[in-house]
Amino acid sequence: MNMMSDAATEKAVNAPADEPVIKMRGKDVCVFYGPKQALFDVNLNIRENAVTALIGPSGCGKSTFLRSLNRMNDTIDTCRVTGDITLDGEDIYDPAIDVVELRARVGMVFQKPNPFPKSIYENVVYGPRIHGLVRNKADMDEVVEKSLVRAGLFNEVKDRLHEPGTGLSGGQQQRLCIARAIAVSPEVILMDEPCSALDPIATATVEELIHELRENYTIVIVTHSMQQAARVSQRTAMFHLGVLVEEGDTDKIFTNPDDPRTQDYITGRFG
Ligand SMILES: Nc1ncnc2c1ncn2[C@@H]1O[C@H](COP(=O)(O)OP(=O)(O)OP(=O)(O)O)[C@@H](O)[C@H]1O
């Protein structure tokens, strides 16, 4: 019996074993805030089941590009996006796209852990409930436990699931936010400097988690830390003044970049 889903079958047919699968594709992406252009013709493919790091000096457009991948920029009145961005080949800016559904498929974790002022349990179950993914208490218990286990938090919180999420440490709150993102079974997780508010130990835990999540998810992470990009990512994209300077295997970008701007940035000459 053939157990493969149609989508999996299609992928297997379309992608030879050694060809990476492209999960998201950005083509000639330009982003404007009012009259100001923040991104210029960015062409970047995001590989499936890999971690892609977006690096570059402050203001270069990393977060702007990240936010364009799940239409978070739609929430900014002055923001306008041109070019094409696809998810599994589908145009995410097509007016027929349901943005709520898109953001369930392409989840997001923010810089500052932002749990809802509710219990740990409610934080995780909120998304599955609004997306109609759980029908009863047993479903809810299961999704809460599974998501917290995947986020590496279950053992630390299993005895206090009904206590406020805001009572956790910063690192635990960030893992709770990751559990909340995972709970709706996203395909892609966008992370905007997810460790910048965390101490080194909590950072190491979240980095380990990112490493593990890669097996099941496609991850795009904005980071200011070169060490972090080198530790967690397989692909790196370097931005400067709104332009994608270069992208490639992380090892190559950090040891032998093609562009002098990348060389200057990774050696700390600017940024
Ligand atoms: N909401 C906004 N309104 C107007 N301009 C904005 C807005 N958000 C970002 N910008 C501008 O767009 C450019 C890119 O900003 P963006 O935040 O994407 O850069 P970044 O590389 O993520 O920076 P940082 O590393 O400092 O977070 C900057 O010039 C910034 O001032």
Side-chain angles (χ1 to χ4, degrees), residues 33 36 38 57-64 67 76 193 224:
Y33 295 105
K36 183 184 145 60
S58 193
C60 66
K62 308 178 291 291
S63 299
T64 297
R67 288 195 302 261
I76 302 168
E193 295 185 51
H224 272 121

Side-chain angles (χ1 to χ4, degrees), residues 23-71:
K23 185 71 184 170
M24 296 196 77
R25 205 180 281 276
K27 190 165 173 291
D28 302 330
V29 178
C30 298
V31 180
F32 303 81
Y33 295 105
K36 183 184 145 60
Q37 188 164 357
L39 284 181
F40 299 81
D41 297 309
V42 173
N43 289 289
L44 180 60
N45 292 337
I46 306 295
R47 291 187 183 178
E48 188 170 66
N49 298 126
V51 179
T52 300
L54 309 183
I55 64 166
S58 193
C60 66
K62 308 178 291 291
S63 299
T64 297
F65 183 74
L66 190 79
R67 288 195 302 261
S68 67
L69 295 175
N70 72 346
R71 293 186 49 178

